[in-house]
Amino acid sequence: MTTALITGGTSGIGAAFARALAARGDDLVLVARNADRLSEMATELKERYAVSVETIAADLAVRDEVVRIAERLASPEQPIDLVVNNAGFGFRAKLTAADTTPHEHAIDVMIRAVLMLSAAAGRAMRQRGAGTIINVSSTASFVTMGGYSAIKSWVTCYTESLANELHGTGVKIVALCPGWVRTEFHERANINVGWIPDFLWLDADQLVADCLADAAGGKVISIPSKRYKALMMICDQLPRRTLRAVSRKLTSSRH
Ligand SMILES: NC(=O)c1ccc[n+]([C@@H]2O[C@H](COP(=O)([O-])OP(=O)(O)OC[C@H]3O[C@@H](n4cnc5c(N)ncnc54)[C@H](OP(=O)(O)O)[C@@H]3O)[C@@H](O)[C@H]2O)c1
C-alpha cells in the first residue's frame, strides 16, 4: 500500500496528481489552506476510487504549519512513500518595489516550505531506502522573468542537488517543469493569458501522467510534452544575453 502527500492537492496540477494517484490505488494526504475544498476533494476521491484520504488544512507560508506537515512526513507509523511539493502561485511584483512582501510570501511558500518538506521526506525515505519526491517547478525556471522565475530556478537547482545528495539511496527525486497549464493559477494572480497561443497550453492530467512515468523511469528533470522539451532545449543553447532579451520581451507582453 502506497501513501502520497500532495501540497495544493485541491486545485489544478495538485488535484490532477491526487486523481491520478487515487486512480492507481494510492492512499492520500492532501494539504491546502481551504478546509472546505479539502473535504470536498476528499469526499470525491474516497467515493470514486475507494482510497483513504487524510486532509491537513495548513498555510505553507507559516513556518510552524510547515513544521506540522514535516512531522507528518517523518512519522514512522504512517510512512509517506511519495511527496508532491506542488502548492504555489503566480505573482507579479517589481524586483525594485519598496514593498518586498509579495516576494517574501512567495519565497516562504515555494522555497522555504519545499526545502523543509523535502528535507523531512528525504531523511525518512533514505532510512527506508525507498520513496519519491516530486517538486513542482516550472519552465519559468529556465528564463529570467522576475521573482517567480528566480524562485522556480531555485526549485529546479535545489531538486537536482537533492537528487545528487540522495543518489544511490533508492529515493527518486524529480523536478517537474511544466509550461502553461489551464488552472486557477493565472486568474488568482491576475495574469493576462490572452496572448498565449493554444498550442502552448498543457493538459494537467496528461502532464501528471508524463511526470509519473518520468519518475518511475528515474528522470530527475521532467518537462512534459515534446513542444516544451524542444523549446527548453533551444533556451539551453541560447547565450544568456539573448535569453534575457527574450525574457524581457515576454515579460512586457504580459502587461
Ligand atoms: N498553471 C501553470 O501554468 C503552471 C505552470 C508551471 C508551474 N506551475 C506550478 O504548479 C503548481 C500548482 O499550480 P496550479 O497551476 O495548479 O495552481 P492553482 O490551481 O491555483 O492551485 C494551487 C494550489 O496550491 C494551494 N496553495 C496555494 N497557496 C498555498 C499556501 N500558502 N499553503 C498551502 N497551500 C497553498 C491552493 O489551495 P488553497 O488556496 O486552498 O491553499 C491550491 O490547492 C505551483 O507551484 C505553480 O507554480 C503552474
Side-chain angles (χ1 to χ4, degrees), residues 28-76:
L28 297 175
V29 181
L30 303 179
V31 179
R33 288 166 302 182
N34 186 320
D36 291 341
R37 287 188 73 173
L38 277 168
S39 79
E40 274 165 34
M41 191 72 189
T43 305
E44 177 200 320
L45 294 169
K46 283 190 238 177
E47 282 176 1
R48 207 159 148 199
Y49 302 108
V51 292
S52 123
V53 185
E54 178 184 336
T55 59
I56 309 177
D59 182 349
L60 297 178
V62 179
R63 195 178 189 284
D64 285 350
E65 301 199 15
V66 182
V67 168
R68 203 153 48 88
I69 310 302
E71 284 167 358
R72 176 64 189 83
L73 286 169
S75 164

Side-chain angles (χ1 to χ4, degrees), residues 7-14 31-34 37 58-61 85-90 105 109-110 136-139 148 152 178-186 188 201:
T7 68
T10 52
S11 170
I13 296 170
V31 179
R33 288 166 302 182
N34 186 320
R37 287 188 73 173
D59 182 349
L60 297 178
N85 279 311
N86 159 80
F89 51 87
H105 181 232
V109 176
M110 292 186 277
V136 182
S137 184
S138 169
T139 49
Y148 180 78
K152 292 300 189 181
W180 281 290
V181 193
R182 284 194 206 281
T183 65
E184 295 174 16
F185 178 95
H186 306 94
R188 285 193 200 217
W201 287 100

Side-chain angles (χ1 to χ4, degrees), residues 114 118 133 135 137 141-142 152-167 173-177 219-222 236:
V114 171
S118 298
I133 300 173
N135 289 334
S137 184
S141 71
F142 303 119
K152 292 300 189 181
S153 289
W154 182 89
V155 175
T156 302
C157 181
Y158 164 77
T159 306
E160 290 191 271
S161 304
L162 184 65
N164 279 345
E165 189 168 312
L166 294 179
H167 186 78
I173 308 291
V174 183
L176 167 60
C177 301
K219 271 200 185 169
V220 173
I221 303 262
S222 173
D236 211 31

